Amino acid sequence: MESELHSIGELARASGLGVGTLRYYDGAEVLTPAWVDPQTGYRWYRPGQLADARLLVRLRRVGLPLADIRAVLAGHDAERVLDAHLRRLEDGLADARRELSLIRTTIEQREHPMTSTLHLTVRADRLAAALDAVRFAVCEDPDHPALTGVLFEPDGPVLRLVATDRYRMAFAELPALGAPQQPAPGTTVPTALVDALRALLPAAPAEVLLTLGADTFRAETPDHRIEGAVPATDYPDHRVLTRLDPQHRLTLPAAALRTAVETGATRTLPSGPQGADCQVTVLTLTEDGHLTVTADPTPDDPHIALNRDFLLDALRAAHPEQLLLELGGPIAPLAIRTPGRTGTFSVLMPVRLP
């Protein structure tokens, strides 16, 4: 048998993978030997596995995750896996360019402090809608002061609002006049100031002037003005959670899903803040493409478990007639989108079922 096989040393020399690396990929069930000598433990590989080893080298070179390498070598939907990784690489490059732009802006602001204040003009109704879309996700835990507010982030022609409590994250975008063409550092507006701003908006005229400073936030209308200090803390990088790779996309009536969640079965699990017990809703995608609520999904049906209250909060905040759900699997975040509003959506972290 050995004469028909490559030794691990031969495969290492022919493929460029080290012997230790081949042992690692054997343990990870990525490139398993055709035969292992039961007495010496020495590994032997089929001639055809040389091509797999050389492909593995290329997949490593582009940074493909281990699980995806395993899928490609096994021939499991390789095109989709590679396309998804290419999108991640492109998104990562866009993020790197954006961060470098922000670094340059930050350096310029340190050298020229007068440039650190931005004045933006937005429509009152759109600002109100954006605040309503993200307010439910604001963190209420004082142990996380960087999250106890809403991030106001200018990005070219739009103003992006972001809120998260680490269990869910909400995004909203609205057009803004006066924003720089390059991305600018965001301002985290404390919760009390956010709520004061939202209370002002129903009586506001068509436009609101926002001032985003390094330590101050101000909103002005012809008749009202609110102002307050902002914390000197950096908001977490939210772009990681926007790079989703959904396996299923479903458009469905919002009212029907809300009713199903409100009346459907739940399970009690420690899924809330500080590990508190909460009611968990399990969304299951059946073979015929319907989304159902069930407490005990079958292993073969795609499903995701979510904190029921958090899910209902997200559905109420979206309040459209139709919803677009993006499911990536039981351990991937769920995205809840409104068709036609690309920059306004929410992401919910899944609950791991026992």
Side-chain angles (χ1 to χ4, degrees):
M1 178 182 292
E2 293 182 6
S3 63
E4 302 173 359
L5 302 176
H6 292 301
S7 70
I8 190 171
E10 291 170 342
L11 188 69
R13 288 189 295 273
S15 66
L17 292 170
V19 171
T21 302
L22 286 170
R23 293 195 185 105
Y24 168 76
Y25 283 124
D26 175 20
E29 299 182 350
V30 172
L31 187 61
T32 304
W35 181 65
V36 179
D37 190 313
Q39 295 181 343
T40 65
Y42 206 73
R43 296 164 171 84
W44 297 86
Y45 296 81
R46 294 188 305 274
Q49 288 184 285
L50 175 58
D52 285 346
R54 288 173 171 166
L55 176 58
L56 202 161
V57 171
R58 292 183 178 275
L59 297 175
R60 289 178 64 202
R61 193 174 297 153
V62 298
L64 197 69
L66 194 63
D68 289 344
I69 290 178
R70 188 183 298 112
V72 170
L73 293 182
H76 296 160
D77 206 1
E79 285 297 325
R80 185 192 66 81
V81 171
L82 295 178
D83 288 345
H85 185 62
L86 179 59
R87 289 194 298 271
R88 286 195 297 268
L89 292 176
E90 291 171 343
D91 290 341
L93 179 58
D95 285 349
R97 286 174 173 156
R98 184 179 186 282
E99 287 301 322
L100 288 172
S101 177
L102 287 172
I103 289 170
R104 293 190 180 99
T105 301
T106 301
I107 293 173
E108 182 180 350
Q109 290 175 349
R110 290 173 60 185
E111 296 175 350
H112 308 284
M114 292 301 293
T115 64
S116 62
T117 299
L118 290 177
H119 300 283
L120 310 177
T121 301
V122 298
R123 277 178 42 176
D125 57 341
R126 293 189 174 182
L127 179 57
L131 289 172
D132 291 342
V134 304
R135 177 62 179 86
F136 74 95
V138 172
C139 181
E140 306 292 343
D141 187 351
D143 291 337
H144 298 279
L147 304 180
T148 54
V150 173
L151 177 67
F152 281 59
E153 184 180 59
D155 191 356
V158 303
L159 174 64
R160 180 179 302 109
L161 273 55
V162 185
T164 183
D165 61 2
R166 300 178 300 140
Y167 300 94
R168 57 233 173 128
M169 183 172 276
F171 305 84
E173 291 182 357
L174 65 154
L177 297 177
Q181 291 303 310
Q182 298 298 323
T187 297
T188 303
V189 181
T191 306
L193 206 52
V194 167
D195 292 341
L197 172 61
R198 181 62 184 90
L200 168 71
L201 292 176
E207 291 185 345
V208 179
L209 175 63
L210 302 178
T211 300
L212 308 181
D215 54 9
T216 303
F217 172 82
R218 185 166 61 248
E220 299 174 89
T221 71
D223 301 318
H224 299 87
R225 168 176 167 165
I226 60 171
E227 185 172 4
V230 299
T233 56
D234 291 331
Y235 206 81
D237 184 7
H238 56 79
R239 286 176 296 279
V240 174
L241 283 179
T242 64
R243 293 197 292 267
L244 304 174
D245 182 24
Q247 299 176 10
H248 307 279
R249 289 184 172 89
L250 299 93
T251 301
L252 66 166
L257 180 57
R258 284 196 297 271
T259 300
V261 174
E262 290 170 348
T263 61
T266 61
R267 296 174 65 171
T268 302
L269 294 172
S271 62
Q274 289 81 49
D277 285 348
C278 293
Q279 297 304 304
V280 172
T281 293
V282 183
L283 301 180
T284 302
L285 186 63
T286 61
E287 290 185 359
D288 56 3
H290 289 89
L291 195 69
T292 63
V293 174
T294 177
D296 297 300
T298 63
D300 295 334
D301 287 335
H303 64 273
I304 182 171
L306 302 160
N307 183 303
R308 177 181 180 273
D309 290 340
F310 292 172
L311 176 56
L312 288 174
D313 285 343
L315 296 178
R316 296 186 189 104
H319 62 75
E321 294 184 359
Q322 293 288 107
L323 286 175
L324 173 63
L325 299 188
E326 295 182 344
L327 293 84
I331 61 173
L334 170 74
I336 301 176
R337 301 183 183 273
T338 301
R341 299 174 66 189
T342 304
T344 299
F345 64 101
S346 58
V347 175
L348 302 182
M349 298 297 104
V351 177
R352 189 179 295 272
L353 294 175

